[in-house]
């Protein structure tokens, strides 16, 4: 039976996205946003006009961040591009709406002194492993959730990670992670879903577990802040930005720059080195 709050065409779009090998998280979020648009505007996304979309986005100016608005607009853009591909719609209203530019964010790694404080906090052994994978391999929450024993090559001392775009890349193993891996299962998921041992934990569960531990330790930030610390520390240790890009597994070095923060002391030293009177070079 037809439900007035059912998004027309959503099921077909879901199948198409899976065929494109998009992640379940991405697909689920895109469909959720479409459903939210329908519920709040009472306009079928299939038939929505530019003015409907603009009014919906503007109606959330007070409760959505610029980043959230940009993300949701990009979801709608993907939806209308698909409708054009399958000849369900001739026009694309997002051309008139445009997609808000995602604001540049200053990297927010945890402080160096917070690392030992976090690791000294009482926690489950599995939580400690999650934190170490973020700090010493720079793994994202969804990558941590999918870690398996088979991903570790202890002979070659590398960890194979399937990151964004399902690309498989290797990360050199830190000695501490080699020791951790030798004590963890050699096969199967390291972080199983409770009650479903054949499935891995959800990425949100990883974020929540690590986040709660950080708050209990009095450390500000999120699970992703640990990856920011990894990147910033690599750069601060004198590694080339290109090397950091490879270790973060970024396609673009611009993305890497968004993860790394120049330490405050370096910035202060740079300013202190400015002089209004510069010596002449010898002839």
């Amino acid at each position: 039976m037809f439900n007035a709050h059912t998004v027309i065409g959503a099921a077909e779009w879901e199948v198409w996205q899976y065929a494109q090998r998009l992640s379940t998280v991405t697909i689920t979020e895109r469909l959720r946003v479409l459903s939210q648009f329908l519920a709040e505007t009472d306009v079928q996304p299939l038939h929505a006009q530019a003015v409907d979309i603009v009014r919906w986005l503007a109606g959330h100016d007070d409760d959505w961040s610029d980043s959230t608005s940009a993300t949701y607009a990009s979801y709608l853009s993907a939806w209308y591009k698909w409708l054009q591909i399958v000849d369900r719609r001739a026009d694309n209203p997002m051309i008139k709406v445009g997609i808000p530019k995602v604001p540049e964010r200053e990297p927010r790694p945890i402080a160096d002194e917070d690392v030992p404080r976090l690791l000294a906090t009482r926690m489950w052994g599995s939580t400690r492993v999650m934190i170490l994978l973020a700090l010493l391999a720079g793994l994202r929450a969804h990558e941590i959730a999918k870690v398996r024993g088979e991903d570790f090559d202890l002979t070659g001392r590398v960890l194979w990670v399937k990151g964004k775009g399902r690309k498989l890349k290797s990360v050199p193993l830190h000695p501490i992670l080699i020791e951790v891996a030798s004590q963890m299962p050699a096969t199967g998921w390291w972080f199983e879903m409770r009650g479903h041992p054949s499935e891995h934990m959800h990425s949100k569960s990883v974020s929540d577990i690590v986040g709660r531990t950080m708050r209990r330790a009095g450390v500000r930030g999120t699970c992703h802040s640990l990856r920011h610390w990894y990147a910033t520390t690599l750069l601060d240790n004198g590694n080339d930005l290109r090397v950091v890009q490879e270790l973060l597994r970024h396609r673009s070095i611009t993305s890497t720059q968004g993860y790394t923060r120049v330490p405050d002391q370096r910035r202060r030293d740079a300013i202190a080195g400015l002089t209004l009177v510069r010596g002449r070079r010898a002839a």
Side-chain angles (χ1 to χ4, degrees), residues 62-282:
D62 293 335
D63 56 317
W64 287 352
S65 67
D66 291 342
S67 179
T68 297
S69 293
T71 299
Y72 289 2
S74 71
Y75 291 166
L76 291 176
S77 180
W79 159 253
Y80 289 110
K81 284 180 181 178
W82 173 76
L83 289 176
Q84 288 183 306
I85 289 173
V86 297
D87 296 325
R88 296 286 293 273
R89 184 159 174 159
D91 66 321
N92 183 343
M94 293 305 295
I95 293 177
K96 294 181 179 179
V97 175
I99 299 178
K101 187 175 181 180
V102 179
E104 293 186 5
R105 297 178 179 176
E106 184 173 346
R108 300 189 66 179
I110 64 173
D112 288 342
E113 57 269 23
D114 284 339
V115 175
R117 182 191 309 172
L118 176 59
L119 294 175
T121 302
R122 290 188 60 184
M123 66 184 81
W124 292 103
S126 58
T127 303
R128 185 177 302 278
V129 175
M130 292 177 185
I131 290 172
L132 289 174
L133 286 170
L135 287 173
L136 300 178
L139 266 58
R140 306 173 177 94
H142 75 88
E143 294 166 345
I144 294 173
K146 299 175 184 177
V147 165
R148 304 172 305 162
E150 295 91 338
D151 298 331
F152 289 80
D153 178 357
L154 297 184
T155 302
R157 300 192 171 208
V158 296
L159 166 62
W160 290 96
V161 183
K162 185 175 288 187
K164 290 185 176 180
R166 297 178 181 270
K167 291 186 177 180
L168 189 64
K169 292 197 173 184
S170 64
V171 177
L173 279 172
H174 188 280
I176 292 177
L177 288 181
I178 293 176
E179 182 180 353
V180 168
S182 66
Q183 299 171 0
M184 294 291 287
T187 59
W189 304 115
W190 274 16
F191 311 109
E192 299 173 347
M193 184 186 299
R194 182 175 297 179
H196 301 275
S198 62
E199 299 180 33
H200 63 77
M201 184 179 289
H202 287 159
S203 59
K204 187 177 186 307
S205 298
V206 172
S207 296
D208 290 345
I209 290 170
V210 174
R212 284 196 301 269
T213 304
M214 292 174 68
R215 288 191 294 273
R216 197 167 62 249
V219 175
R220 298 182 62 181
T222 64
C223 182
H224 210 63
S225 299
L226 306 184
R227 177 172 162 85
H228 279 240
W229 178 88
Y230 169 82
T232 298
T233 303
L234 285 171
L235 188 65
D236 195 29
N237 286 345
N239 294 289
D240 183 84
L241 188 61
R242 183 70 180 83
V243 173
V244 179
Q245 176 191 357
E246 283 293 316
L247 291 172
L248 285 172
R249 294 163 285 114
H250 280 155
R251 178 184 302 177
S252 167
I253 203 163
T254 302
S255 299
T256 307
Q257 291 172 325
Y259 271 73
T260 54
R261 184 178 68 184
V262 177
D264 290 339
Q265 187 57 49
R266 279 194 184 183
R267 296 195 292 181
R268 284 193 289 267
D269 290 345
I271 294 299
L274 292 175
T275 177
L276 297 178
V277 180
R278 305 185 66 178
R280 295 182 179 179
R281 293 182 180 178

